[in-house]
Amino acid sequence: MVNGLVSGRLALVTGAGSGIGRAACQVLSREGATVIAADKNYDAALETIKKYTALASGSNATGDHTALELDVSDPKSVQSLLQAVLKEYKTPPRIVVNSAGITRDNWLLKLSEEDYDSVLNVNLKGTFLVMQTFAKAMTEASIAGSIINISSIVGKYGNIGQSNYSASKAGVVAMTQTAAKELGKFNVRVNAILPGFIDTPIVKTVPDKVMHNMLKLVPLGRLGEPTEVAEVITFLSSDKSSFISGAAIDVTGGF
Ligand code: NAP
């Protein structure tokens, strides 16, 4: 694509093997970006590149896109990812989307320390590690970048059974606002998106009865599609949002 919103830009997407991350790869590539799909599940990331990116449509070719294995909660894995990207593309990405995330739901009174730690390690520390590593690379290369962190609407309001998850997502918003303040002088924008209930594997764990009651609170009366979040990710990646930084944007159908 010659005139896409993000033509010619290199984009890193974490959690790219599923859901919102996969849709981000799809829409960013449709708008002309070269996509690096990174996920704990390498095969799923490769499937994203082969089946969902624009250059790959209609063939098995991967174009200039790449799939890489990544555990966002492991500093060594994040460093290896940066080295692999620099080796392959000779430049850090201009766009970084932090979409990797997990849930380990339980009542506050029953939540294990292990499940608390694992959610905070992936959702909050993982976002920190990727953001710090790639923002550093962007500033050293004098790249005007855009970082998009996927938080959640429950980070604003809380949610039954999700004290660990909602805390991690509230942390992502606060960290995004702080990073925006620190990185603005390097021309790096940092924004957060707070999705509501989006139709991906992560919401399949929510019991039907709970989901039914939740949907009553959504004025648009339905789950969101992953691409409806990906379109906002792509807008925030592009020059159309050139004066937006430190924002936290709800994508919830009005919830
Ligand atoms: P998803 O379909 O489960 O996708 C998340 C992806 O992240 C999966 O491919 C997962 O791999 C991967 N991942 C998990 N741990 C990782 C790690 N340590 N390092 C690298 N990759 C890892 O979920 P989604 O709905 O697209 O969620 C994407 C983001 O949006 C998450 O941050 C989520 O919290 C947020 N969000 C989702 C919703 C929603 O309703 N769907 C609402 C608000 C916010 P495995 O499958 O192998 O674990």
Side-chain angles (χ1 to χ4, degrees):
M1 166 168 302
V2 182
N3 291 318
L5 283 176
V6 286
S7 275
R9 295 184 192 182
L10 186 60
L12 167 69
V13 180
T14 76
S18 180
I20 293 168
R22 173 170 276 173
C25 293
Q26 193 174 8
V27 178
L28 285 165
S29 68
R30 184 197 75 199
E31 293 298 328
T34 298
V35 166
I36 302 154
D39 200 285
K40 202 170 177 186
N41 183 338
Y42 170 76
D43 290 341
L46 189 59
E47 193 183 341
T48 296
I49 295 300
K50 285 191 168 171
K51 292 194 183 160
Y52 292 85
T53 52
L55 284 179
S57 58
S59 79
N60 259 354
T62 55
D64 289 335
H65 309 305
T66 314
L68 291 168
E69 188 174 341
L70 166 71
D71 178 353
V72 294
S73 64
D74 176 1
K76 286 195 190 118
S77 177
V78 177
Q79 270 305 324
S80 302
L81 174 73
L82 174 63
Q83 294 316 318
V85 169
L86 292 177
K87 192 170 171 210
E88 177 75 20
Y89 295 100
K90 318 290 180 229
T91 176
R94 267 181 83 169
I95 299 162
V96 173
V97 181
N98 277 302
S99 190
I102 59 169
T103 54
R104 296 286 182 272
D105 296 352
N106 211 334
W107 305 103
L108 174 70
L109 298 183
K110 292 184 177 171
L111 185 66
S112 69
E113 197 176 331
E114 192 189 346
D115 283 347
Y116 175 85
D117 284 343
S118 57
V119 167
L120 270 288
N121 278 338
V122 174
N123 298 2
L124 186 55
K125 186 178 164 190
T127 300
F128 160 69
L129 290 171
V130 172
M131 192 159 61
Q132 185 188 55
T133 302
F134 283 86
K136 196 160 180 244
M138 282 175 186
T139 59
E140 284 170 0
S142 301
I143 283 177
S146 177
I147 300 172
I148 297 107
N149 297 325
I150 309 302
S151 172
S152 166
I153 198 64
V154 309
K156 209 190 241 186
Y157 300 120
N159 194 24
I160 286 173
Q162 294 197 312
S163 51
N164 50 356
Y165 182 79
S166 55
S168 73
K169 294 301 187 179
V172 166
V173 172
M175 197 160 59
T176 298
Q177 290 163 337
T178 301
K181 285 183 164 62
E182 293 183 11
L183 298 176
K185 65 179 176 223
F186 300 109
N187 220 356
V188 174
R189 297 185 295 114
V190 193
N191 292 290
I193 295 175
L194 284 65
F197 297 97
I198 311 297
D199 194 7
T200 75
I202 220 172
V203 298
K204 300 280 187 283
T205 58
V206 179
D208 286 348
K209 193 176 155 199
V210 175
M211 186 50 69
H212 182 73
N213 288 334
M214 285 293 185
L215 284 181
K216 283 189 200 156
L217 302 173
V218 179
L220 290 183
R222 62 173 176 86
L223 292 173
E225 293 298 324
T227 49
E228 293 179 300
V229 181
E231 297 287 355
V232 183
I233 290 171
T234 305
F235 165 71
L236 289 173
S237 303
S238 78
D239 292 343
K240 298 283 180 197
S241 59
S242 51
F243 204 52
I244 301 181
S245 195
I249 300 178
D250 296 2
V251 182
T252 63
F255 174 78

